[in-house]
Amino acid sequence: MPAHDAPPATAQEPARPWDVFARARTALDAFEHLVGGIGTAILALITLLWLVFTAAACLFGVGLFLVPGTLRALRAVAGRERVRLSRWGPEVIGPGPSPTGLRQAVADPATRREVGWVASHALLGTVLGLVGLTLPLTSATDAAFPLWWSFVPPSEATPSLGLWTVTDWPGAFAVSLLGIGWFAVTLAVAPGMARLQAWPGRRLLTPPPGTDLVTRVAELTATRAAALDAHATELRRIERALHDGTQNRLVAVTVLLGASRRAVSRGSADADALLERAQDAAEQALAELRAVVRGILPPVLADRSLTDALSGLAGSCPVPCRVDADVEGRFAASVEATAYFVVAEALTNVARHSGARAASVTVRHRDGRLWLKVTDDGRGGADEHGGSGLAGIRKRVEALDGVLTLASPPGGPTTLEAGLPCGS
């Protein structure tokens, strides 16, 4: 390749304004993390002192009565840090209930790791948090030095670190340049400080290696069982619909056709009436068969979209229903079928049991999940074990590794929300 075709090895792109803004935004987020870390660091310091006091009291036997409460406080403070870390990154899963005795606490690896976190975060988290607060204040104070230095006594006209005494305007503007330098240093080091402050929690408050795998295997086992239950329930529903509805209609058609054939052979005038009844029974059987097919997988899902299918459900609901769907593209057929089933069953419950005057269906796609929310202004008090079909909805959702929440206080309103994993 000719030399003039290759880009210069030392060429650097000029800094763009939005890169500076992005770094400033990153630094601002880091300061927010550092300030939040100070709160948990102070709690960790208090907990550490209480742990030391309890351990010393155990030497005299009195501390044994303090152990359960101390362990609960330890687990609560560590849980608060897990929540904080989960807001700013991957979720940190906590262990189960705290142990109640000293021997169980010593044998519990999660408790030992929490004690190590309390000791490290009480010192490191506090120091980094205070430094994180001091840096922006120092840079702002020095950057604005020319605005206030002449109003203070000469002995106090110094930069934030007291490096020298300012006696003239050139020195004041030099301090201002120093403040800008502090600001640049702040932008550079704040994200690293926030990561360093969070490191003990990420290291010690996460489950031991293998815990995630065991938990995931248990979840998949439960999901597989829920999928099999949902499949069996769906088969029973289809069999019941075909046996109790369509099959009886077809039997009636056969009987009526036989009766009309005998009437024709006898020359009876009832043959036309019997044939008309047979035709009506056949049409009813066809309509019920179409309803069963739509219950398995509505054709509108394949022909149009999930939004159109849900709008059709809302239009046929006896209770006035509004659909607010803000989704783009299509999802897997299993996801759309489950979403349709959830909304259909929920609106059926609204019409039969809630006494509501209005309902709404909200559909959103965020965080790799399809979120469905069905709300009504009815009497509330919905119960999954009350035979209203809510248990079937939960099984259908959990079969896809989804989540379902129900809020239905007496007097209403009732809100059912389901999240179905569907990728990003």
Side-chain angles (χ1 to χ4, degrees):
M1 176 183 291
H4 58 77
D5 291 338
T10 59
Q12 295 182 353
E13 294 185 3
R16 292 169 293 187
W18 50 85
D19 291 337
V20 177
F21 290 141
R23 291 185 180 181
R25 177 60 184 271
T26 302
L28 185 61
D29 290 341
F31 285 126
E32 190 175 356
H33 301 176
L34 289 168
V35 172
I38 290 180
T40 55
I42 295 175
L43 293 176
L45 179 60
I46 296 174
T47 305
L48 179 62
L49 295 176
W50 186 251
L51 281 171
V52 173
F53 174 78
T54 302
C58 285
L59 299 177
F60 304 97
V62 181
L64 296 176
F65 299 99
L66 304 176
V67 167
T70 303
L71 294 176
R72 286 195 297 269
L74 174 65
R75 184 61 51 87
V77 173
R80 191 177 183 87
E81 177 71 359
R82 290 186 179 98
V83 172
R84 187 182 76 89
L85 295 177
S86 298
R87 287 201 304 265
W88 308 116
E91 181 180 5
V92 180
I93 302 176
S98 61
T100 57
L102 182 60
R103 182 174 300 178
Q104 294 89 340
V106 173
D108 183 23
T111 302
R112 296 198 301 268
R113 293 162 70 92
E114 288 173 347
V115 171
W117 168 79
V118 161
S120 59
H121 189 60
L123 176 62
L124 187 62
T126 303
V127 171
L128 290 174
L130 292 177
V131 172
L133 282 177
T134 303
L135 281 176
L137 294 177
T138 300
S139 60
T141 302
D142 287 350
F145 189 81
L147 301 177
W148 58 267
W149 77 279
S150 59
F151 298 101
V152 299
S155 60
E156 297 181 10
T158 61
S160 298
L161 298 183
L163 300 177
W164 71 87
T165 301
V166 178
T167 59
D168 51 18
W169 283 103
F173 285 107
V175 175
S176 181
L177 294 177
L178 178 63
I180 296 175
W182 278 119
F183 181 74
V185 171
T186 300
L187 293 181
V189 304
M193 291 173 59
R195 289 192 295 269
L196 181 60
Q197 188 191 54
W199 180 79
R202 294 283 178 192
R203 178 78 174 176
L204 297 174
L205 297 184
T206 55
T211 302
D212 290 344
L213 180 60
V214 173
T215 304
R216 186 59 182 157
V217 169
E219 291 177 352
L220 290 176
T221 301
T223 300
R224 179 177 178 273
L228 293 176
D229 289 343
H231 178 67
T233 302
E234 186 67 9
L235 287 179
R236 286 194 299 270
R237 185 187 68 82
I238 296 172
E239 185 274 335
R240 188 164 55 248
L242 293 175
H243 181 272
D244 297 342
T246 308
Q247 179 175 280
N248 290 340
R249 298 293 183 186
L250 292 177
V251 170
V253 170
T254 303
V255 172
L256 290 172
L257 287 177
S260 61
R261 182 179 180 181
R262 290 190 295 272
V264 169
S265 64
R266 295 195 307 268
S268 174
D270 297 335
D272 290 340
L274 291 173
L275 287 173
E276 185 176 357
R277 291 173 57 190
Q279 182 179 0
D280 293 340
E283 291 175 352
Q284 293 175 6
L286 182 59
E288 291 179 355
L289 186 59
R290 287 174 177 169
V292 173
V293 172
R294 284 196 299 269
I296 299 173
L297 184 63
V300 68
L301 284 177
D303 299 339
R304 303 184 68 179
S305 67
L306 176 62
T307 302
D308 294 329
L310 298 183
S311 298
L313 280 176
S316 61
C317 181
V319 177
C321 182
R322 177 179 57 87
V323 176
D324 179 14
D326 185 12
V327 293
E328 297 180 358
R330 301 300 303 269
F331 306 99
S334 59
V335 174
E336 292 189 343
T338 301
Y340 183 90
F341 173 82
V342 169
V343 175
E345 288 293 313
L347 292 182
T348 299
N349 287 338
V350 170
R352 291 180 179 177
H353 309 294
S354 70
R357 291 172 295 181
S360 64
V361 177
T362 305
V363 186
R364 294 290 184 269
H365 179 211
R366 67 176 186 272
D367 301 332
R369 286 181 180 265
L370 180 66
W371 292 96
L372 310 163
K373 184 167 70 172
V374 182
T375 306
D376 67 77
D377 60 356
R379 64 176 65 96
D383 183 10
E384 290 191 35
H385 308 289
S388 58
L390 293 173
I393 295 177
R394 180 174 295 279
K395 288 182 180 180
R396 187 74 174 261
V397 170
E398 290 178 349
L400 283 185
D401 204 14
V403 294
L404 181 75
T405 58
L406 174 66
S408 184
T414 296
T415 300
L416 183 143
E417 187 170 7
L420 304 175
C422 57
S424 57

